[in-house]
Amino acid sequence: VFLKEENATGAYHPVLQAVGDEKSVTRKDSPSGRKVFDVERIRRDFPILSEKVNNGQKLVWLDNAATTQKPESVIERISRFYLHENSNVHRGAHELAARSTDAYEEARQKVAAFLTAPSASDIVFVRGTTEGINLVAQSYVKPRLEAGDEIILSILEHHANIVPWQMLCERKKAVLKVVPFNDKGELDMEVFRGFLNERVKLVGVAYVSNVLGTVNPVKEMIDAAHAIGAYALVDGAQAIQHIPVDVQVLDCDFFAFSGHKVYGPTGVGILYGKRNLLEQMPPWQGGGEMIKEIRFEKTTYNELPFKFEAGTPDFIGVVGLGEALEYVKSIG
């Protein structure tokens, strides 16, 4: 594969990259020390990229901020689940129930490892980033928010990290403050620091903007929030597929992302939360799985993370998400 790369003088020179076997992604240090991907090797992993559109033109996909296409390994894993493992999870003692439950919980372990979370029980499966943020808003922030309290967001947020807080502030008579950006498309950190005071209960920020691609200084914002006794939520939907995420290093209180933004299925995502915070949060929805013991007189809720996973989960989507993360790890 021949590529062109700019050197220190601004001139371009060809870079020859060897193509490896079909089971490994080829990467090689270029003369400048940067990693170069075998583009055609990656394209072959995505069956839909052989699709013809617009009167026979080869499909070029530039809409990953909306949703990503799926590699063959994810499609094959979902198909294999339907063919050999399909059964509801945590609800049966037969062979297929055991297979599906094992695959479901194995995916939780994969997500925890991908985020470097302290424990797999800190990972809650939800429908996507939107549901994860709404869960935090309703179960953690709402009971603690009083009239006059403040929530800080940035102007770069996706609707999923705006509307839940607008609704909550309206209901609780709290104040929503929005950090603007400068001419470079970067957050105005001076304004952000000026917003910080003892009334702030939460800082919610996107790691990466879904519109401008701006990478926000989330670690700095998290630390600043903690310094005034506030909590920090990170919308990681546009970062998880591009930036290595270590939730312990970030020290974020909550982190959410969607499976379909990271080459996995739609309708599934995760919410990571610090254990002590998740334990304080009451269940947001009621139904099967989130109960340990049920009587009409009183129901005892399940332990983490199951108390937040009411009803039959999208277990096939979860397994597909686990496979998608394995694919990202294989690329680097």
Side-chain angles (χ1 to χ4, degrees), residues 20 37 64 70 93 102 121 186 207 212 285 287 289 308 321:
F37 286 99
N64 280 352
K70 316 310 169 193
D102 286 348
S121 58
E186 299 169 345
Y207 202 146
L212 299 181
Q285 297 175 324
E289 188 57 34
F308 297 116
L321 171 57

Coordinates of all heavy atoms in Angstrom, one line a residue, residues 20 37 64 70 93 102 121 186 207 212 285 287 289 308 321:
G20 N 0.1 -7.4 5.9 CA 0.3 -8.7 6.7 C -0.8 -9.7 6.4 O -1.5 -9.6 5.4
F37 N -2.0 3.2 9.0 CA -2.9 2.1 8.9 C -3.0 1.6 7.4 O -2.8 2.3 6.5 CB -4.3 2.5 9.3 CG -4.5 2.7 10.7 CD1 -4.5 3.9 11.3 CD2 -4.7 1.6 11.5 CE1 -4.6 4.1 12.7 CE2 -4.9 1.7 12.9 CZ -4.9 3.0 13.5
N64 N -19.7 8.9 10.6 CA -19.5 8.1 11.9 C -20.0 8.9 13.1 O -20.3 8.2 14.1 CB -18.0 7.8 12.0 CG -17.6 6.6 11.2 OD1 -18.4 5.9 10.6 ND2 -16.3 6.4 11.2
K70 N -20.6 -1.6 10.6 CA -20.2 -2.7 11.5 C -19.2 -3.6 10.8 O -19.4 -4.0 9.7 CB -21.4 -3.5 11.9 CG -22.6 -2.6 12.3 CD -22.3 -1.6 13.3 CE -23.4 -0.6 13.5 NZ -23.1 0.6 14.3
A93 N -32.1 -22.2 33.8 CA -31.0 -23.1 34.2 C -30.6 -24.1 33.1 O -29.8 -24.9 33.4 CB -31.5 -23.9 35.5
D102 N -23.5 -16.2 30.2 CA -22.0 -16.1 30.2 C -21.5 -15.1 29.2 O -20.6 -14.3 29.5 CB -21.4 -17.5 29.9 CG -21.5 -18.5 31.1 OD1 -21.9 -18.0 32.2 OD2 -21.3 -19.7 30.9
S121 N -18.9 -4.6 37.9 CA -20.2 -4.2 38.5 C -20.4 -2.7 38.5 O -21.5 -2.3 38.9 CB -20.4 -4.8 39.9 OG -19.3 -4.4 40.7
E186 N -12.8 26.2 20.8 CA -12.4 25.5 22.1 C -13.2 26.2 23.2 O -13.5 27.4 23.1 CB -10.9 25.7 22.3 CG -10.0 25.1 21.3 CD -8.6 25.5 21.4 OE1 -8.3 26.5 22.1 OE2 -7.7 24.8 20.8
Y207 N -16.6 14.7 26.0 CA -15.2 14.5 25.8 C -14.8 15.1 24.5 O -13.8 15.8 24.3 CB -14.8 13.0 25.9 CG -13.4 12.7 26.3 CD1 -13.1 11.6 27.0 CD2 -12.3 13.5 25.9 CE1 -11.8 11.3 27.4 CE2 -11.0 13.2 26.2 CZ -10.8 12.1 27.0 OH -9.5 11.8 27.3
L212 N -18.0 19.8 16.0 CA -16.7 20.4 15.6 C -15.5 19.4 15.8 O -14.4 19.7 15.3 CB -16.4 21.6 16.5 CG -17.4 22.8 16.4 CD1 -17.0 23.9 17.2 CD2 -17.6 23.2 14.9
Q285 N -36.0 2.4 37.0 CA -37.2 1.7 36.4 C -37.4 0.4 37.1 O -36.4 -0.2 37.7 CB -36.9 1.4 34.9 CG -36.8 2.6 34.0 CD -36.4 2.3 32.6 OE1 -35.6 1.4 32.3 NE2 -36.9 3.1 31.7
G287 N -39.1 -3.6 37.3 CA -39.5 -4.8 36.5 C -38.6 -6.0 36.9 O -38.1 -6.0 38.0
E289 N -35.5 -8.6 36.9 CA -34.0 -8.6 37.0 C -33.5 -7.5 38.0 O -32.5 -7.8 38.6 CB -33.4 -8.2 35.6 CG -31.9 -8.4 35.6 CD -31.4 -9.7 36.0 OE1 -32.1 -10.7 35.7 OE2 -30.3 -9.8 36.6
F308 N -30.3 -1.6 38.1 CA -30.5 -0.6 37.0 C -30.9 -1.2 35.7 O -31.0 -0.5 34.7 CB -29.3 0.4 36.9 CG -29.0 1.2 38.1 CD1 -27.8 1.0 38.7 CD2 -29.9 2.1 38.6 CE1 -27.5 1.7 39.9 CE2 -29.6 2.8 39.7 CZ -28.4 2.6 40.4
L321 N -21.6 -5.5 21.2 CA -20.8 -4.4 21.7 C -19.5 -4.9 22.2 O -18.4 -4.4 21.9 CB -21.5 -3.7 22.8 CG -20.7 -2.6 23.6 CD1 -20.2 -1.6 22.6 CD2 -21.5 -2.0 24.7

